[in-house]
């Protein structure tokens, strides 16, 4: 599997998990489906960018940094659309991007 | 009256070999060992500097010429000097001896990677039926670009006590495992100065320096493979792991990922607690 598709997959899975954690917050539990969908899309996109970067640059620290930055940027976009929850969305979102960045750097294409 | 300085110069000049019958121009002595003396010389025909080793017999040149490997110094030419001694011209290695390299390199993985590269030409020589018999840091050169060259392949049987296998010391038959013993001793030297020697590395040293040859690694490649496994955070053949060892190796191998996941989980818990106030 290529790095971009692997990034999409890993970012998407992490996004689903990240979205599902909102179940623990009763205030937003009613919007769980929408949050999971948005989070999955956000994770997959961050993973795709991280995978694209990993195809060009072979560096784990830089990969993590790029994933972190893209995750942070996308999470900011989502938070801005929500008009709030900046801290609650951006911090975990950036870490999901960082994990995707790490995973795409380590992934060996077959 | 001749001054001491002039006398010393005359003595040095008298000791220098006569290269008149060769195409080389002698510059100076650059090394001296039990097997011979190495000189810096110039090859005017090709406009390059070479190292010339002068020794009592031509065995070493023949051994070296039979081993073509990037980790073994290539021989350009061999012959006999007017005084009857043998010589051979070889590539001049610009770099440091391994003992000097170790004095300046404290990063353990860097040292171990150099050790792996020492094992490769030794294993190559073993595959061609040649046993070095005198492996020690002083016989290894580390080049400017990290390349490793093993030198002094002519030792007919005499080794260096600190690196000599018991069977070699006893004057018995030696095979590749005598070199494995010397490599194990070299590894011990490389680990000197470490505040805490990792258990797998201690086991590798023990296995390589077992008094009984049959208990050692069967060859330099097997030893190098264990070092590679250690560097890759993989199980090492010489070391039986406990569950705790296995866990620690897993954590060490995946520390970046585990740190990121831990950071994510910590962040998530903080966010959940924050929103649930």
């Amino acid at each position: 599997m290529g790095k971009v598709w692997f990034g999409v997959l890993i970012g998407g899975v992490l996004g689903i998990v990240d979205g599902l954690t909102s179940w623990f917050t009763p205030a937003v539990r009613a919007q769980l489906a929408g949050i999971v969908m948005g989070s999955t899309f956000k994770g997959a996109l961050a993973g795709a960018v991280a995978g694209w970067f990993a195809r060009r640059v072979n560096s784990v620290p830089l990969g993590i940094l790029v994933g972190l930055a893209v995750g942070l940027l996308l999470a900011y976009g989502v938070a801005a659309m929500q008009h709030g929850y900046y801290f609650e969305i951006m911090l975990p979102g950036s870490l999901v991007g960082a994990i995707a960045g790490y995973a795409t750097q380590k992934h060996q294409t077959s | 009256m001749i001054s001491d300085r002039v006398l010393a110069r005359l003595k040095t000049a008298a000791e220098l070999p006569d290269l008149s019958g060769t195409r080389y121009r002698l510059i100076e002595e650059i090394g001296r060992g039990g097997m011979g003396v190495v000189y810096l010389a110039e090859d005017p025909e090709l406009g390059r500097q070479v190292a010339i080793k002068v020794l009592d017999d031509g065995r070493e040149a023949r051994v070296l010429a039979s081993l073509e490997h990037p980790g073994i110094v290539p021989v350009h030419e061999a012959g006999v000097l007017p005084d009857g001694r043998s010589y051979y011209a070889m590539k001049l290695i610009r770099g440091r001896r391994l003992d000097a390299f170790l004095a300046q390199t404290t990063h353990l993985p860097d040292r171990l990677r150099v050790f792996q590269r020492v094992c490769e030409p030794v294993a190559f020589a073993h595959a061609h039926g040649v046993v070095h018999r005198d492996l020690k840091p002083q016989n290894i050169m580390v080049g400017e670009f990290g390349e490793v060259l093993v030198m002094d392949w002519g030792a007919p049987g005499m080794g260096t006590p600190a690196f000599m296998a018991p069977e070699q010391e006893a004057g018995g038959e030696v095979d590749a495992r005598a070199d494995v013993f010397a490599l194990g001793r070299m590894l011990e030297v490389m680990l000197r100065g470490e505040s805490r020697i990792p258990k797998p590395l201690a086991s590798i040293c023990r296995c390589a320096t077992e008094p009984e040859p049959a208990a050692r690694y069967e060859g330099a490649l097997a030893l190098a493979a264990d070092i590679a496994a250690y560097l890759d955070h993989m199980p090492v053949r010489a070391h039986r792991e406990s569950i705790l060892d296995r866990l620690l190796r897993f954590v060490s191998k995946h520390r970046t990922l585990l740190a990121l996941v831990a950071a994510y989980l910590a962040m998530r818990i903080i966010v959940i607690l924050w929103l649930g106030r």
Side-chain angles (χ1 to χ4, degrees), chain B residues 45 73 86 104 121 247 258:
Chain B
E45 267 181 46
V73 192
S86 297
Q104 290 158 0
L247 185 72
L258 291 173

Side-chain angles (χ1 to χ4, degrees), chain A residues 17-100:
Chain A
V17 175
D18 188 40
L20 286 173
T21 57
S22 61
W23 184 84
F24 293 103
T25 308
V28 295
R29 202 174 283 168
Q31 299 133 45
L32 186 68
I35 290 172
V36 169
M37 273 200 292
S39 181
T40 306
F41 178 74
K42 177 164 65 70
L45 197 57
V49 175
W52 174 83
F53 180 77
R55 225 168 52 180
R56 277 154 182 76
V57 181
N58 183 19
S59 162
V60 173
L62 281 179
I64 292 174
L65 208 66
V66 166
L68 191 92
V70 174
L72 194 72
L73 195 74
L74 292 173
Y76 172 78
V78 172
M81 282 193 289
Q82 304 274 318
H83 303 294
Y85 295 115
Y86 283 93
F87 164 75
E88 296 84 345
I89 295 173
M90 285 172 69
L91 285 178
S94 62
L95 283 167
V96 163
I99 295 171

